[in-house]
Amino acid sequence: MSKIFISCALPYANGPCHLGHIRSTYLPADIYARYNRMIGNDVLMVCATDEHGTPIAVKADKENKKPIEISKRYHDMIVRDVESMNISLDNFTRTTDEAHYEIAKNFFKKLYDDGYIYREDIQQLYCPNCNKFLPDRYVEGLCPVCGSEARGDHCEKCGKALNPTELDEPHCITCGTTPVIKDTFQYAFKLSEFEDELKDYINGNDNLPANVKNYAINWLEEGLTDWILTRDMDWGIPVPLDDAKGKVLYVWIEAFLGYISSASQWSKQSGSKWEEYWNDYVVHFIGKDIIYHHSIFWPGLLKAYGCKLPDMIYAGEFLSLEGEKMSTSKNWVIWIADFVKDYDPDLLRYYLTINAPLNKDSDFSWDDFQRRNNDELADVIGNFLHRTFVFTKKQFDSKIPEYTNPKDEDEEFRLAIEALPDKAGELIANYEFREALLEIFKVAKKGNKYFNDAEPWRAVKEDKAKAANCLYLSNQLAKTLAYMLKPFLPTKADKIAEIMNLGSLDKWADAKTALPAGHEINKAKPLFKKIEDKEIEAQKAKLQENLKENNEDETMSDLVTIDQFDEFVIKIGEVKEAEKIEKSDKLLKLQVDLGEEKPRQIVAGLAKFYDAEELIGRKVCVVANLQPAKLFGTLSEGMILATGASGALLSPDENAEVGERIQ
């Protein structure tokens, strides 16, 4: 018997679960865990909510609440969602637990004491209005690579990982002020020191799937740089050093340790040692957006600490919705809580698994969900089971008949049934979950054909032994399906077991043991029902309505009152001097006459559209009451109005007087 440590990627506690979360992480982990328990392996499956991420602090700021209130709210929602999908976690905890704080601090301190973490002087964006340094998610601007709107750490459009200081036109998301660059310090991890060892780990690990290995190799080929492990924030685990006041551990050091703190909590409750599971076999189930964190950063930290590295990293790919990227901000999403109000969670587990391999991108379509439920679950699996149970009750008094003098077609079917547990089991063990479920479905389909060809309704009158053989084998397949479906559809599998008087479905090997003739089954109950067209139309309409309401809300939120507009002072100015700012290909430094005692100095992103000399003598529109800010170390005391795409100046009429207020 092996011990297996299984972890699910920690969800941010800033929102409930949607279909994509279940598909990429929790569902494959649960299938794998359930199967391994059934074959006798000792499994520990853990997870926790990640409660120190910057998105939680940002959300708390917007709602004028404490971050712990936000994280508690969504932790409870996530637990509800995970439980509603029958995810069989052994422990689910929080990174705000005291034990997690202690583990994370000790981990950091050991790496620091061993010389793998060091103080580094850096430049960081600082908001002069909020009077604080800005962690990456507190900054938004334009991606320097593709020009799209981007966060301080990542551009969703082109996928580029970013540093906040790289953004074009950055602004503080709290107050909108343009931040300045200031000198500060943080603590960095010597990731570069482990480059060769990590290359060996990635290249030499045959367990790693292609999407994980290729992604990691691409990062390694670019060369590893040291990695900042701390942030200037109030919300988080304090850095355990005397000179680090006001600094907290970056989420991508302490969130990993949520696996360990959750396992440690389980150990205290169970009396078993989690380390025995880690030291035997470790598999992380994650989404593909955090592959490089788990394949490079985390193994690097573990190497430095002296721990065994994960044996397997399984990354589920993205799930789109009706052909479009899911978006929580646009409400183009299906929440788990909404889904389970209308449908059995097993239907979703089936669809998300069989629709595409979990290491390939997939799409959720209400029409396709209906088709697979009706054509596969109801018409094939459900129909086969129901006919088997009803006919056994009606013609054989609910008892499995004798199997005598089988014909070639009987033996062929029997062998297919007997081979199924080994075939499906091997596929699950190799993380080929869709292929395993397809194999199960294929044999169920074969069962339907066998039942039709045998025509037991006719044979029972003409050749009762033939009918008996048909029902004997059909019941054997029904029993085998109960065991085979347990990792995928645990609730439906238990209902099959209840009808068949099987007891618990704990042992995979029992699927190979034939039920004896005379074994009595219970009254049949329909296990799957068809979904009507009107239901699906209602679901699609609801999705469109959510999108429409969100767009209306966004439109309304863009409206301002006349009083709000009146707060902006916009004046006519004339450019007196203009010059390029050194080391910037976008910014010009302008001296603008606003009819005041001396010209205003304004930094404007116009260098790509105008030569400095072109602007001298031009009349421009200026927002004159903006709080001064520094750009590239240069003071800016206003804003020139121009279009975003072409940089075209909003030029006033030639008769407008310098210093005249527009509104």
Side-chain angles (χ1 to χ4, degrees), residues 525-655:
K525 301 172 185 176
L527 291 166
F528 301 98
K529 66 175 184 177
K530 292 198 173 186
I531 299 171
E532 301 294 332
D533 290 348
K534 62 182 180 181
E535 293 180 54
I536 296 301
E537 292 308 314
Q539 294 291 351
K540 291 192 289 187
K542 186 194 300 183
L543 199 55
Q544 292 296 332
E545 188 63 28
N546 290 343
L547 186 63
K548 179 182 176 184
E549 288 176 3
N550 185 75
N551 289 338
E552 288 176 354
D553 289 343
E554 285 187 354
T555 302
M556 292 302 292
S557 67
D558 288 342
L559 299 177
V560 296
T561 65
I562 188 66
D563 291 334
Q564 289 174 309
F565 181 66
D566 197 47
E567 292 178 4
F568 291 93
V569 176
I570 303 175
K571 290 184 175 183
I572 305 300
E574 183 178 348
V575 180
K576 294 297 186 181
E577 298 177 21
E579 61 180 293
K580 287 198 70 173
I581 290 180
E582 188 178 352
K583 296 183 180 179
S584 172
D585 59 354
K586 300 181 180 67
L587 301 178
L588 295 175
K589 181 172 70 174
L590 311 176
Q591 303 296 327
V592 183
D593 181 7
L594 292 176
E596 300 168 343
E597 289 186 13
K598 63 177 184 177
R600 293 269 195 104
Q601 180 169 285
I602 298 175
V603 177
L606 299 172
K608 285 191 173 182
F609 310 106
Y610 300 93
D611 291 331
E613 295 76 16
E614 286 183 76
L615 296 176
I616 296 174
R618 289 281 297 267
K619 286 184 178 178
V620 292
C621 299
V622 179
V623 180
N625 64 335
L626 281 183
Q627 182 162 334
K630 279 189 176 182
L631 297 173
F632 267 71
T634 304
L635 182 68
S636 182
E637 302 173 296
M639 178 184 289
I640 305 291
L641 296 183
T643 63
S646 64
L649 290 167
L650 274 63
S651 299
D653 187 276
E654 60 183 15
N655 295 320

Side-chain angles (χ1 to χ4, degrees), residues 233-246:
M233 290 181 68
D234 296 326
W235 177 240
I237 299 176
V239 175
L241 298 174
D242 292 338
D243 61 351
K245 186 177 180 181

Side-chain angles (χ1 to χ4, degrees), residues 222-332:
E222 293 180 12
L224 296 183
T225 58
D226 290 352
W227 183 38
I228 300 295
L229 287 185
T230 58
R231 294 290 187 270
D232 291 293
M233 290 181 68
D234 296 326
W235 177 240
I237 299 176
V239 175
L241 298 174
D242 292 338
D243 61 351
K245 186 177 180 181
K247 299 186 187 297
V248 299
L249 300 182
Y250 180 37
V251 68
W252 279 118
I253 175 178
E254 58 99 354
F256 293 126
L257 296 167
Y259 304 144
I260 307 304
S261 61
S262 184
S264 176
Q265 185 185 81
W266 173 84
S267 287
K268 289 180 181 178
Q269 296 167 352
S270 67
S272 300
K273 294 182 178 180
W274 67 267
E275 294 92 340
E276 293 178 357
Y277 295 80
W278 185 278
N279 290 329
D280 198 341
Y281 188 82
V282 181
V283 53
H284 294 317
F285 285 89
I286 63 171
K288 78 170 182 181
D289 55 330
I290 52 175
I291 287 176
Y292 64 90
H293 299 86
H294 281 78
S295 61
I296 296 175
F297 298 165
W298 178 225
L301 291 167
L302 290 171
K303 273 283 185 186
Y305 198 84
C307 288
K308 172 182 175 290
L309 303 191
D311 298 278
M312 172 64 167
I313 302 168
Y314 186 96
E317 300 278 325
F318 290 148
L319 179 71
S320 55
L321 176 59
E322 299 289 357
E324 301 289 337
K325 181 180 179 181
M326 275 201 275
S327 170
T328 56
S329 62
K330 295 178 181 177
N331 213 11
W332 187 251

